[in-house]
Structures are given as structure tokens and as C-alpha cells.
Amino acid sequence: MIIASIDPTSQAYAAGQVFGYMSAAAIGIGLLWWLTRSWRKESTPPGRDPARAKGKRTWFIAGVSVFITALASVKAFASYHPEPRAIETRAADGAEEYPVIILPDLFERFRLLKGEAATRAETEVLAGRDLPHSLRTGYYDQDADGAYDLFVLVTSSAWDPKVAESKATKSISQEFRNVFAGAKARDVARFDPGQHGGGLDCGHVSGPDGDQSLCAWSDAANLVVVRHVHETDLAAAARTTLALRDAATT
């Protein structure tokens, strides 16, 4: 399971690493000066200039302090590799992506349920619960039996300011960590997100009749979760999710 509490890809974590290195250096330098205070002030042999001798000792400790600071700075700089914020996502060709998600009526072998069939599917999925107004749903039937095989949840900064705020502060890994931890997913793996860039992860979740697959994709503006009711192969679920993403992104 992915753990939501610590995200080593976040900018805050990277900044904390830098702060840790520099703090350790500052403490080390402080201890160095404190431990050498007697040595820097000790008496000099007869015939030698006391002020000059003490000055050399002080300059030596100052040089060691500069070396420690430089070493810590290099280490801190090398450790600062945060994942970009979700809003900074770029497509495979390097272009900034602000795609609009419009769920297609048909993609591959899946058809979007409408009317009474969609109502029945939503009643079954929600079981009396209310979804936030900002969430949009879609239900897809693969084998034309009127029952849903895919359940899709769409959130977007295009209509929800809270999503825009989240995209501006969190990385895609943070978004996925929250999604899959909330769903109690396991075996979560990263897959190729395709031409639109961003991220695509899938994992296993428990369903009423056994394991199901849960996938999520994220880009600069959208976070979409797809539950595969009858698919346990994560690679197959990822391919289907990517096909839906390509068909839904305009």
C-alpha cells in the first residue's frame, strides 16, 4: 500500500533535506568553535607574537568552517530533486498540458451507459452515499449486458477551485499516494502515461466478488480515477485506462 504521510518526492521534503544538511553543518561548526576555544586562546611560547599565533589558529578554524559549509552546500544541492508540481505537467512533446476531459460515448469495446442504465449503475455504486458536487462520474459497459464494467470519477481544475489549488501545491505522486491510500490499494505500480504526460498508476483493490483494478491518471488540470470491475491484470487495466484517456482528452 502507498503511505500518504511521507512523500519523498514533494518540494517540502526536498527543502527539508536541504535544511537538514545545512542545520547539521551549522551545529558542527558551532561545536568546532566551542571545542577549540581554549586552544585558540592558549598561551604562546616565549619569543613568538601572541596576537599572531592566536590569529593563525582562528583563521585555521575559520577555514575548516568554510570547508564544512561548502561540503554541506554541495550535498544539499545534490539532494534537492523534488518532483514538479502537478500543474507543471508537460506532454510528451514538451508542451504544457491543460486538457479538457469529455468522457466519450464509445472507446474500444466500451460504451458509456446513459439514462436508466446509468442511474442503476450509480445507485449500485453509491449505495445511498452522496458524492461531492465537483466529482463527475461515468459508467461503461463492455459486453452490452447493461451492467457497468468501468466506473470513472473525474475531478478537474476547470470547474473546481480546490483541484486547481491542489495541482498548484502537490506533485502527481502525492495525488496518487492519497488516492490509493484512501482506496486501500496494494501492488500499486507506475505505467507509461502516454502522449499527454503526467502520471498513470494502477493497483489492486478489494471488490464484493474478489480483486479489482483501480487506475488513476493525472495531468496539469485533471485527476481521473477508473475502477475496473472485472479486470485483475494491472497492465491490461492500464492499457484500457490509457485508451480512455486518449479518447477523453481534447
Side-chain angles (χ1 to χ4, degrees), residues 158-179:
W159 61 75
D160 189 348
K162 291 184 179 179
V163 174
E165 180 181 347
S166 177
K167 293 285 183 182
T169 57
K170 294 179 180 178
S171 69
I172 287 177
S173 292
Q174 283 176 289
E175 291 182 321
F176 286 166
R177 193 166 280 109
N178 292 337
V179 167

Side-chain angles (χ1 to χ4, degrees), residues 197-231:
L200 171 62
D201 278 18
C202 295
H204 288 125
V205 293
S206 297
D209 300 317
D211 281 351
Q212 300 176 353
S213 295
L214 185 74
C215 294
W217 86 71
S218 178
D219 53 45
N222 310 288
L223 176 61
V224 182
V225 178
V226 184
R227 192 171 187 122
H228 301 253
V229 178
H230 304 297
E231 182 60 78

Side-chain angles (χ1 to χ4, degrees), residues 89-168:
T89 296
R90 294 179 176 272
D93 61 3
E96 292 184 358
E97 279 283 280
Y98 296 95
V100 176
I101 301 298
I102 300 177
L103 294 179
D105 290 340
L106 182 69
F107 80 98
E108 292 192 338
R109 303 178 307 280
F110 294 88
R111 184 177 298 277
L112 182 66
L113 294 178
K114 297 182 179 181
E116 293 183 1
T119 301
R120 285 196 304 270
E122 186 152 289
T123 299
E124 180 180 345
V125 169
L126 298 184
R129 294 167 297 180
D130 292 326
L131 286 175
H133 179 70
S134 59
L135 284 175
R136 298 184 180 179
T137 60
Y139 304 88
Y140 283 90
D141 176 17
Q142 181 180 16
D143 46 18
D145 62 357
Y148 72 95
D149 297 292
L150 297 181
F151 168 41
V152 185
L153 282 173
V154 183
T155 61
S156 177
S157 59
W159 61 75
D160 189 348
K162 291 184 179 179
V163 174
E165 180 181 347
S166 177
K167 293 285 183 182

